[in-house]
Amino acid sequence: MVQPGDAITPGTKGTPATVKRYGPLARLNHWVVAFSLIALALSGLALYSPYLYFLTGIFGGGQTTRWLHPWIGVLLFVSFYVFFAQLWRANLFNRDDLTWAMRFKDVVAGNEERLPEMGKYNAGQKFVFWGMSALILALIGTGVLIWQEYFAVYTAIETQRWAALLHAAAAIAIILIWITHVYASIWIQGTMRAMTRGNVTAGWAYRHHRKWLKQLAGLRRKTAPQANAVEHTKAAKHLGL
């Protein structure tokens, strides 16, 4: 639940306490994944329908788009699974996630007091994570089968047709998940700064991921030198823990 780099920074008189959520490399990797997915969605839609062919102009024309699309897919696959290696343990489901999902009406209504205390990720974030993980695997697998430049000679026409159909279905599903992810990050105020500044306010962490915050506070108490015990006790009280 607590990952390397997660830490509480106590506030001062003029500065509120913050909680470090992501380091610079994790944030960079996230944005590589994000922009790769956007580029794939635009180029894929351009190649999918003649009505959207005008989108190829973004990439320099039809031939360039056709060449770029699979390579961007490889970039997405590699960058996402670097992220996956860092985050999969923190995204394993538990009983609190089931309770959270069963009380989804309270999630939408903002009734946080009726929800269980959550770790670093809630059930919705975990659904996005595992959904993206499965769909990116499906996209890279089917994409290789229909990659004409390198693999067409090794794949039967019927197999390519089924692969193209499954590729399109997976693409639509991942676009919908991406839209949900972006909407949620905007809807829940204070979330975006985790991927822009790397930290969140202590108030945001206490409201949305209280179990994670309490674990971090507990680690601080265990690892803090005796000379700083009073400082850390004050920080915990400031956070309401």
Side-chain angles (χ1 to χ4, degrees):
M1 195 177 296
V2 173
Q3 296 179 287
D6 295 352
I8 297 172
T9 303
T12 60
K13 290 183 179 180
T15 307
T18 59
V19 186
K20 187 176 180 181
R21 196 162 168 85
Y22 298 108
L25 291 179
R27 298 200 307 276
L28 174 62
N29 199 16
H30 172 272
W31 290 113
V32 170
V33 170
F35 286 111
S36 296
L37 189 56
I38 292 170
L40 282 169
L42 292 174
S43 58
L45 289 170
L47 297 172
Y48 180 75
S49 170
Y51 294 106
L52 298 173
Y53 186 76
F54 68 91
L55 292 172
T56 60
I58 298 172
F59 304 94
Q63 290 299 322
T64 306
T65 303
R66 185 179 179 184
W67 178 80
L68 275 176
H69 181 80
W71 285 111
I72 299 172
V74 172
L75 175 62
L76 173 68
F77 174 75
V78 172
S79 57
F80 180 83
Y81 275 91
V82 169
F83 215 38
F84 179 92
Q86 300 168 359
L87 302 179
W88 72 271
R89 292 182 186 276
N91 279 278
L92 294 174
F93 287 99
N94 55 49
R95 291 183 179 180
D96 290 334
D97 296 317
L98 178 60
T99 304
W100 187 94
M102 292 176 67
R103 297 178 184 175
F104 191 69
K105 288 184 178 180
D106 291 313
V107 175
V108 175
N111 299 326
E112 297 282 344
E113 70 282 355
R114 299 193 60 185
L115 300 173
E117 294 185 355
M118 302 307 299
K120 188 170 184 178
Y121 301 106
N122 61 40
Q125 292 167 315
K126 291 177 181 180
F127 279 123
V128 169
F129 177 82
W130 291 109
M132 293 278 287
S133 301
L135 289 168
I136 287 174
L137 275 179
L139 287 166
I140 195 70
T142 55
V144 166
L145 292 175
I146 59 176
W147 196 344
Q148 297 292 315
E149 186 176 0
Y150 297 108
F151 302 103
V153 295
Y154 304 108
T155 311
I157 295 298
E158 186 175 354
T159 302
Q160 290 184 38
R161 289 171 179 168
W162 279 106
L165 179 62
L166 293 173
H167 193 80
I172 292 170
I174 204 169
I175 289 171
L176 292 175
I177 288 178
W178 177 79
I179 291 171
T180 303
H181 176 61
V182 172
Y183 177 79
S185 67
I186 296 172
W187 173 51
I188 302 174
Q189 293 184 358
T191 301
M192 284 291 290
R193 67 176 283 165
M195 278 302 173
T196 54
R197 304 183 192 180
N199 61 44
V200 293
T201 64
W204 182 95
Y206 185 80
R207 179 175 174 81
H208 300 295
H209 299 274
R210 193 172 303 176
K211 184 182 289 187
W212 174 61
L213 181 62
K214 286 182 175 180
Q215 283 197 324
L216 286 174
L219 288 175
R220 283 180 63 86
R221 295 189 188 103
K222 290 179 182 178
T223 58
Q226 190 65 33
N228 293 329
V230 174
E231 175 191 343
H232 295 307
T233 300
K234 289 181 178 179
K237 289 182 179 178
H238 180 71
L239 295 170
L241 305 176

